[in-house]
Coordinates of all heavy atoms in Angstrom, one line a residue:
G1 N -4.2 -13.1 -6.2 CA -5.6 -13.5 -6.1 C -6.2 -12.6 -5.0 O -5.7 -11.6 -4.5
E2 N -7.5 -12.9 -4.8 CA -8.2 -12.1 -3.8 C -7.7 -12.3 -2.4 O -7.7 -13.5 -2.0 CB -9.7 -12.4 -3.9 CG -10.6 -11.5 -3.1 CD -12.1 -11.8 -3.4 OE1 -12.6 -11.3 -4.5 OE2 -12.8 -12.4 -2.6
Q3 N -7.4 -11.3 -1.7 CA -6.8 -11.4 -0.3 C -7.7 -10.7 0.7 O -8.1 -9.5 0.5 CB -5.4 -10.8 -0.3 CG -4.4 -11.5 -1.1 CD -4.2 -12.9 -0.7 OE1 -4.1 -13.2 0.5 NE2 -4.0 -13.8 -1.7
H4 N -8.0 -11.4 1.8 CA -8.9 -10.8 2.8 C -8.1 -10.6 4.0 O -7.3 -11.4 4.5 CB -10.0 -11.8 3.1 CG -10.9 -12.2 2.0 ND1 -11.8 -11.3 1.5 CD2 -10.9 -13.3 1.2 CE1 -12.4 -11.9 0.4 NE2 -11.9 -13.1 0.2
L5 N -8.2 -9.4 4.6 CA -7.5 -8.9 5.8 C -8.5 -8.5 6.8 O -9.5 -7.8 6.5 CB -6.5 -7.8 5.5 CG -5.5 -8.0 4.4 CD1 -6.1 -7.6 3.0 CD2 -4.2 -7.3 4.7
Q6 N -8.3 -8.8 8.1 CA -9.2 -8.4 9.1 C -8.4 -7.7 10.2 O -7.4 -8.3 10.7 CB -10.0 -9.6 9.7 CG -11.0 -9.1 10.7 CD -12.1 -10.2 11.0 OE1 -12.7 -10.7 10.0 NE2 -12.3 -10.5 12.2
L7 N -8.8 -6.5 10.6 CA -8.1 -5.7 11.6 C -9.1 -5.1 12.6 O -10.0 -4.3 12.2 CB -7.3 -4.6 10.9 CG -6.5 -3.6 11.8 CD1 -5.4 -4.3 12.6 CD2 -5.9 -2.4 11.0
Q8 N -9.0 -5.6 13.8 CA -9.8 -5.0 14.9 C -11.3 -5.1 14.5 O -12.1 -4.1 14.7 CB -9.4 -3.6 15.3 CG -7.9 -3.6 15.8 CD -7.4 -2.2 16.0 OE1 -7.8 -1.2 15.3 NE2 -6.5 -2.0 16.9
G9 N -11.7 -6.2 13.9 CA -13.1 -6.4 13.6 C -13.6 -5.8 12.2 O -14.7 -6.1 11.7
Q10 N -12.7 -5.1 11.6 CA -13.0 -4.6 10.3 C -12.4 -5.5 9.2 O -11.2 -5.9 9.3 CB -12.4 -3.2 10.1 CG -13.0 -2.1 10.9 CD -14.4 -1.7 10.3 OE1 -15.4 -2.0 11.0 NE2 -14.4 -1.1 9.2
R11 N -13.1 -5.8 8.2 CA -12.7 -6.7 7.1 C -12.4 -5.9 5.8 O -13.2 -5.0 5.4 CB -13.8 -7.7 6.9 CG -13.4 -8.9 5.9 CD -14.5 -9.9 5.9 NE -14.2 -11.0 4.9 CZ -13.5 -12.0 5.1 NH1 -13.0 -12.2 6.3 NH2 -13.4 -12.9 4.1
Y12 N -11.3 -6.2 5.2 CA -10.9 -5.5 4.0 C -10.5 -6.6 2.9 O -10.1 -7.7 3.2 CB -9.7 -4.6 4.2 CG -9.9 -3.6 5.3 CD1 -9.5 -3.8 6.6 CD2 -10.6 -2.4 5.0 CE1 -9.7 -2.9 7.6 CE2 -10.8 -1.4 6.0 CZ -10.3 -1.7 7.3 OH -10.5 -0.7 8.3
T13 N -10.7 -6.2 1.7 CA -10.4 -7.1 0.5 C -9.5 -6.4 -0.5 O -9.8 -5.2 -0.9 CB -11.6 -7.6 -0.1 OG1 -12.4 -8.3 0.8 CG2 -11.3 -8.6 -1.3
L14 N -8.4 -7.0 -0.9 CA -7.6 -6.5 -2.0 C -7.6 -7.6 -3.1 O -7.5 -8.8 -2.8 CB -6.2 -6.3 -1.6 CG -5.8 -4.9 -1.0 CD1 -6.4 -4.7 0.4 CD2 -4.3 -4.6 -1.0
V15 N -7.8 -7.1 -4.3 CA -7.9 -8.0 -5.5 C -6.8 -7.7 -6.4 O -6.2 -6.6 -6.4 CB -9.3 -7.9 -6.2 CG1 -10.4 -8.2 -5.2 CG2 -9.5 -6.5 -6.7
P16 N -6.4 -8.6 -7.3 CA -5.4 -8.3 -8.4 C -5.7 -7.0 -9.1 O -6.9 -6.7 -9.5 CB -5.5 -9.5 -9.3 CG -5.9 -10.6 -8.4 CD -6.9 -10.0 -7.5
G17 N -4.7 -6.2 -9.3 CA -4.8 -4.9 -9.9 C -4.8 -3.8 -8.9 O -4.7 -2.6 -9.2
E18 N -5.0 -4.2 -7.6 CA -4.8 -3.2 -6.5 C -3.5 -3.5 -5.8 O -2.8 -4.5 -6.0 CB -6.0 -3.4 -5.5 CG -7.3 -3.1 -6.1 CD -8.5 -3.3 -5.2 OE1 -8.3 -4.2 -4.2 OE2 -9.5 -2.7 -5.4
S19 N -3.1 -2.6 -4.9 CA -1.9 -2.8 -4.2 C -1.9 -2.0 -2.9 O -2.7 -1.1 -2.7 CB -0.6 -2.3 -5.0 OG -0.6 -0.9 -5.0
L20 N -1.0 -2.4 -2.0 CA -0.8 -1.6 -0.8 C 0.6 -0.9 -1.0 O 1.6 -1.6 -1.1 CB -0.7 -2.5 0.5 CG -0.5 -1.8 1.8 CD1 -1.6 -0.8 2.1 CD2 -0.3 -2.8 3.0
H21 N 0.6 0.4 -1.1 CA 1.8 1.2 -1.4 C 2.5 1.5 -0.2 O 2.0 2.2 0.7 CB 1.3 2.5 -2.1 CG 2.4 3.4 -2.6 ND1 2.1 4.5 -3.4 CD2 3.7 3.3 -2.6 CE1 3.3 5.1 -3.7 NE2 4.3 4.3 -3.2
T22 N 3.7 0.9 0.0 CA 4.4 0.9 1.3 C 5.6 1.9 1.4 O 6.0 2.2 2.5 CB 4.9 -0.5 1.6 OG1 5.7 -1.0 0.5 CG2 3.8 -1.5 1.8
E23 N 6.1 2.3 0.2 CA 7.3 3.2 0.3 C 7.5 3.9 -1.0 O 7.3 3.4 -2.1 CB 8.5 2.4 0.7 CG 9.8 3.3 0.9 CD 11.0 2.5 1.3 OE1 11.4 1.5 0.6 OE2 11.7 2.9 2.2
N24 N 7.9 5.2 -0.8 CA 8.6 5.9 -1.9 C 10.0 6.2 -1.5 O 10.3 6.4 -0.3 CB 7.8 7.3 -2.2 CG 6.5 7.1 -2.8 OD1 6.2 6.2 -3.6 ND2 5.5 7.9 -2.3
S25 N 10.9 6.3 -2.5 CA 12.2 6.8 -2.3 C 12.6 7.7 -3.4 O 13.0 7.3 -4.5 CB 13.2 5.6 -2.2 OG 14.5 6.0 -1.9
Y26 N 12.5 9.0 -3.0 CA 12.7 10.1 -4.0 C 14.2 10.3 -4.2 O 15.0 10.2 -3.2 CB 12.1 11.4 -3.6 CG 10.6 11.5 -3.8 CD1 9.8 10.9 -2.8 CD2 10.1 12.1 -4.9 CE1 8.4 11.0 -3.0 CE2 8.7 12.2 -5.1 CZ 7.9 11.6 -4.1 OH 6.5 11.7 -4.3
K27 N 14.6 10.5 -5.4 CA 16.0 10.8 -5.8 C 16.1 12.3 -6.2 O 15.2 12.8 -6.8 CB 16.5 9.9 -6.9 CG 16.2 8.4 -6.7 CD 16.7 7.9 -5.4 CE 16.2 6.5 -5.1 NZ 16.6 6.0 -3.8
Y28 N 17.2 13.0 -5.8 CA 17.3 14.4 -6.1 C 18.6 14.7 -6.9 O 19.5 13.9 -6.9 CB 17.5 15.1 -4.7 CG 16.2 15.2 -3.9 CD1 15.9 14.2 -3.0 CD2 15.4 16.3 -3.9 CE1 14.8 14.2 -2.2 CE2 14.2 16.4 -3.1 CZ 14.0 15.3 -2.3 OH 12.8 15.4 -1.5
S29 N 18.6 15.8 -7.5 CA 19.9 16.4 -7.9 C 20.4 17.2 -6.7 O 19.7 17.6 -5.8 CB 19.7 17.3 -9.1 OG 18.9 18.5 -8.8
V30 N 21.7 17.5 -6.8 CA 22.3 18.4 -5.7 C 21.5 19.7 -5.6 O 21.2 20.2 -4.5 CB 23.8 18.6 -5.9 CG1 24.3 19.7 -5.0 CG2 24.6 17.3 -5.7
E31 N 21.3 20.3 -6.8 CA 20.6 21.6 -6.8 C 19.2 21.5 -6.3 O 18.8 22.4 -5.6 CB 20.7 22.1 -8.3 CG 22.1 22.4 -8.8 CD 22.8 21.2 -9.2 OE1 22.2 20.1 -9.4 OE2 24.1 21.3 -9.3
S32 N 18.4 20.5 -6.7 CA 17.0 20.4 -6.3 C 16.9 20.2 -4.8 O 16.0 20.8 -4.1 CB 16.3 19.4 -7.0 OG 16.8 18.1 -6.7

């Protein structure tokens, strides 16, 4: 659902269909 976040006086809204992207974990071949 709609989520409201407030940080140091600034207000932000995230709604369904959006996300906070927190991590990638890349996988390699030995050669790459």
Side-chain angles (χ1 to χ4, degrees):
E2 189 171 283
Q3 296 297 320
H4 302 284
L5 306 91
Q6 186 161 306
L7 177 63
Q8 298 173 331
Q10 290 287 112
R11 188 174 174 86
Y12 303 97
T13 301
L14 271 73
V15 300
E18 298 177 333
S19 76
L20 182 60
H21 187 173
T22 55
E23 183 178 50
N24 291 321
S25 183
Y26 283 84
K27 312 304 173 185
Y28 290 87
S29 66
V30 167
E31 294 75 19
S32 66

